[in-house]
Amino acid sequence: MSKPDKKKPSAEPEIMEKLVALSKQRGFVFQSSEIYGGLKSCYDYGPLGTELKRNVKAEWWRAMVTTREDIVGIDASIIMHPNVWRASGHLATFSDPMVDCKDCKERGRSDKWPKAEKGAEVEYKVVVDHQSGKKETRKGAVGDLAIVCPNCGSPNLSDIRRFNLMFRTSLGSIDPLETISRRLEGKALSGEELRKVLADAIDETAVYLRPETAQAMFTNFLNVQQAMRMKIPFGIAQQGKSFRNEITVEHFTFRSCEFEQMEMEFFCHPPEFKPEGEKSDMEWFEYWSNARLAWYSNLGIRKEKLRLRPHAADELSHYAKGCNDVEYDYPWGWGELEGIAHRSDYDLKQHEKHSGKKLTYFDPQANKHYHPYVIEPAAGADRAALAFLIDAYTEEPPPPGTNEGRTVLKLHPRLSPIKVAVFPLVKKEGMPESARKIVGEFSKSGIKAVYDEKDAIGRRYRRQDECGTPYCITVDGQTAQDGSVTIRERDSMKQDRIQVADAVKVVQNRLAE
RNA sequence: GCGGGUAUAGCUCAAUGGUAGAGCGCUAGCCUUCCAAGCUAGCUAUGAGGGUUCGAUUCCCUCUACCCGCUCCA
């Protein structure tokens, strides 16, 4: 088991700056609400970014649902019953009283920290120089919370804070503020009493934006299984927005408060009910780990920039039997693209406990009811789109004899926002008309094509290179004579002559490769 | 959350206590027959708020956002 090694000297620290600039210039990603000064961690996808992300999601759906008999999809609501989050455990940490040590920066639950007598003098050691690890002995008095830091023993602590990992809102037309002001009218309450009144009033209508899409696959487990007559092993897949009030956000769109997930819950036999010849839960775990890793490399991410990192035992949740992260070597170091978790039967049992409804699968072969095990590949659509973008970003030096290099996004053609650009070599002799007709043919076939006649032909090629457009078709003098055009491939810059009549078919075939 | 840095045109950068420039880009036109050619004309900017000042993009304060490092990440 390898430990995460997040830190590494960045080989190209400036690549992100260039990519952010290109993203804005070419319309991949903009900062949200930019004219108002921006909003922390929020980004908007522009026209090309939207196409890219849609293509990423479409490829995922194709690989996970369309081409598989054993997986079906759902599209659940973002707001779910609050008890879903009690069952999943998200609401517990949400309301836990958290406290920070001001000396060693340890953070934890105040009700779990060592008790100490209020006002008592204590002695503790603090690391004063992180490089040498030099410590200094200090003294202090225990404060009102009557606890000390479990790490360094310091009584120098922050106030209690409750971290809102989930976005809370209220469902219903009555504003909780109305309820609160009514209940508080004419009352003089202590801080603790006041808090209770507020918490109760808010709780009555409180709902939360989902922090993950996974729970809807568990709550709908039997609905889906019965409606679609699914037999174990089978999976339920979903794509959609999730929301987390992250403590920190970083690295462009890599970690943000609003993000899109692509998750699949694969229900398989627990060991005691596994028939002969069927994959075991651990074999499915390996299968999905490898399948998900391969998905990224098949869509063009360089193999040496991808790895599967097994979680160390102390990183795992208590119920998990394993977790592999698919990681990408971002410009700032290795970071998570996707997590494949072996969740045992924890989630279904939790929901069974909290809802009081049976969530067992009836296995007609074994003639038994049981809770299936679950393997969960959970990917981030925004992270995937970002990784594809970073990996595709290439700066080529000027070829011998010239002085202009080129910037090219070597995206997999199926991920490219624009598939084909069609140019008239010059703006005369009917070439623009022919070119526009070709664009029309592509549009009719559902292939995103654009027309461009501005500037010299070389410049138009370079513009498309920056957008990641894999194919450029040019109408020239020969077109009028024999009905042929050139098709130029983005990465090799090689040109073939093809018939106009075959153009759509040729591109379709190349996209299918 | 802590520390450091940054904020000028669509992008990359310059300059200035007194009319804010360039390159690329973009728009229109001319020219142009295959890999960022040329000519002409045009468009576009000092993150937000406050203070000092006759006058602030420039000095000061606050806020916001972004970047780097630490911290955190159910």
Side-chain angles (χ1 to χ4, degrees):
Chain A
M1 297 268 174
S2 65
K3 280 293 218 180
D5 52 334
K6 283 182 184 167
K7 305 291 164 277
K8 69 154 196 184
S10 193
E12 288 185 287
E14 74 285 5
I15 189 176
M16 279 310 289
E17 283 169 46
K18 289 176 178 172
L19 194 76
V20 171
L22 182 115
S23 287
K24 181 166 189 199
Q25 194 164 13
R26 291 293 175 199
F28 281 93
V29 180
F30 307 124
Q31 181 160 36
S32 166
S33 319
E34 191 184 278
I35 60 169
Y36 290 101
L39 184 62
K40 181 160 55 176
S41 136
C42 295
Y43 293 92
D44 295 340
Y45 286 89
L48 295 194
T50 303
E51 294 292 337
L52 170 64
K53 191 173 151 188
R54 284 171 61 93
N55 291 340
V56 168
K57 285 161 63 184
E59 285 299 317
W60 186 90
W61 197 262
R62 198 166 73 93
M64 301 297 276
V65 180
T66 312
T67 59
R68 296 191 63 113
E69 278 188 71
D70 57 348
I71 302 178
V72 291
I74 63 168
D75 184 4
S77 82
I78 287 173
I79 297 171
M80 301 181 76
H81 195 289
N83 285 346
V84 168
W85 310 116
R86 292 197 174 87
S88 70
H90 289 91
L91 205 47
T93 45
F94 176 70
S95 50
D96 288 343
M98 303 296 280
V99 66
D100 288 320
C101 171
K102 287 181 179 171
D103 285 309
C104 72
K105 311 300 180 194
E106 179 83 358
R107 172 176 294 168
R109 293 178 53 164
S110 63
D111 54 344
K112 300 265 169 117
W113 281 22
K115 299 264 184 298
E117 199 182 331
K118 186 178 157 185
E121 281 285 325
V122 291
E123 206 170 85
Y124 59 99
K125 285 186 175 171
V126 182
V127 175
V128 288
D129 181 11
H130 286 276
Q131 285 194 325
S132 64
K134 195 178 153 222
K135 288 185 178 180
E136 184 183 287
T137 302
R138 294 182 189 172
K139 283 181 188 176
V142 176
D144 289 341
L145 295 175
I147 52 172
V148 294
C149 172
N151 183 46
C152 68
S154 167
N156 188 17
L157 309 176
S158 73
D159 289 335
I160 287 179
R161 284 176 293 190
R162 287 165 214 263
F163 286 91
N164 297 13
L165 284 159
M166 288 192 288
F167 284 86
R168 178 169 58 196
T169 184
S170 66
L171 183 64
S173 53
I174 296 171
D175 188 341
L177 280 178
E178 295 300 320
T179 315
I180 291 167
S181 54
R182 204 170 57 241
R183 288 183 194 170
L184 288 182
E185 212 169 354
K187 285 189 185 147
L189 300 176
S190 70
E192 202 50 36
E193 291 165 329
L194 181 63
R195 193 180 185 284
K196 189 169 182 337
V197 170
L198 296 174
D200 287 350
I202 289 169
D203 273 354
E204 283 165 23
T205 58
V207 289
Y208 305 88
L209 303 188
R210 64 184 177 199
E212 59 176 36
T213 62
Q215 295 306 322
M217 272 92 90
F218 297 124
T219 57
N220 279 307
F221 167 65
L222 283 185
N223 282 341
V224 171
Q225 188 266 318
Q226 287 164 8
M228 302 305 289
R229 297 160 43 228
M230 303 305 282
K231 290 195 174 59
I232 298 280
F234 76 94
I236 307 177
Q238 179 172 215
Q239 298 179 332
K241 287 278 177 87
S242 293
F243 304 83
R244 299 180 198 179
N245 255 325
E246 298 283 358
I247 295 160
T248 53
V249 292
E250 58 187 354
H251 300 314
F252 200 36
T253 58
F254 178 77
R255 184 192 298 285
S256 54
C257 296
E258 175 178 341
F259 57 103
E260 188 142 7
Q261 292 187 297
M262 309 187 288
E263 295 194 293
M264 195 271 286
E265 307 300 326
F266 195 78
F267 301 92
C268 59
H269 298 95
E272 60 271 37
F273 296 106
K274 183 184 87 67
E276 277 299 308
E278 181 54 69
K279 282 193 185 71
S280 72
D281 55 310
M282 291 312 288
E283 283 166 339
W284 277 117
F285 176 59
E286 289 306 313
Y287 169 89
W288 282 115
S289 297
N290 294 326
R292 293 308 306 153
L293 184 68
W295 184 80
Y296 292 96
S297 58
N298 289 343
L299 283 172
I301 294 200
R302 289 165 289 174
K303 284 206 169 69
E304 67 272 22
K305 293 280 192 177
L306 285 170
R307 73 177 183 190
L308 209 53
R309 187 181 68 80
H311 279 211
D314 59 2
E315 280 183 272
L316 290 175
S317 315
H318 64 278
Y319 53 82
K321 289 180 72 178
C323 188
N324 288 328
D325 278 353
V326 177
E327 294 190 329
Y328 177 70
D329 188 10
Y330 291 93
W332 59 86
W334 289 97
E336 188 188 357
L337 268 176
E338 171 161 355
I340 297 100
H342 187 319
R343 303 183 61 91
S344 68
D345 53 10
Y346 176 79
D347 303 276
L348 288 175
K349 281 186 171 166
Q350 279 295 108
H351 284 299
E352 190 168 278
K353 199 167 110 193
H354 281 80
S355 69
K357 301 286 194 308
K358 270 242 170 289
L359 286 176
T360 49
Y361 168 75
F362 176 69
D363 189 325
Q365 269 150 357
N367 199 28
K368 292 274 195 222
H369 290 270
Y370 57 77
H371 295 96
Y373 272 21
V374 176
I375 310 299
E376 174 190 87
D382 307 275
R383 280 181 185 188
L386 180 61
F388 284 122
L389 213 47
I390 292 170
D391 206 64
Y393 184 87
T394 311
E395 285 177 350
E396 290 184 350
T402 67
N403 50 12
E404 286 284 355
R406 65 170 189 154
T407 300
V408 47
L409 286 185
K410 296 189 172 180
L411 290 166
H412 187 288
R414 283 206 299 276
L415 297 181
S416 294
I418 299 164
K419 308 302 184 196
V420 189
V422 187
F423 311 139
L425 187 56
V426 288
K427 280 186 282 184
K428 57 187 183 189
E429 293 166 22
M431 292 182 203
E433 291 75 14
S434 305
R436 286 209 188 266
K437 235 168 101 183
I438 295 171
V439 171
E441 290 303 313
F442 278 103
S443 302
K444 260 192 267 174
S445 304
I447 295 172
K448 182 70 184 167
V450 297
Y451 171 83
D452 192 4
E453 61 175 27
K454 178 81 181 157
D455 300 318
I457 189 77
R459 189 179 288 266
R460 282 177 270 167
Y461 285 141
R462 299 306 166 87
R463 266 205 289 270
Q464 294 302 324
D465 289 341
E466 273 194 20
C467 298
T469 306
Y471 308 112
C472 293
I473 289 176
T474 302
V475 172
D476 58 17
Q478 208 178 317
T479 308
Q481 293 159 27
D482 64 4
S484 71
V485 289
T486 61
I487 181 165
R488 177 249 198 198
E489 201 274 327
R490 178 194 63 205
D491 299 348
S492 64
M493 297 195 281
K494 290 232 167 64
Q495 287 179 299
D496 295 327
R497 277 209 94 82
I498 59 168
Q499 287 295 304
V500 172
D502 300 335
V504 170
K505 196 80 208 151
V506 167
V507 170
Q508 271 171 342
N509 288 343
R510 292 195 186 181
L511 286 174
E513 275 166 17

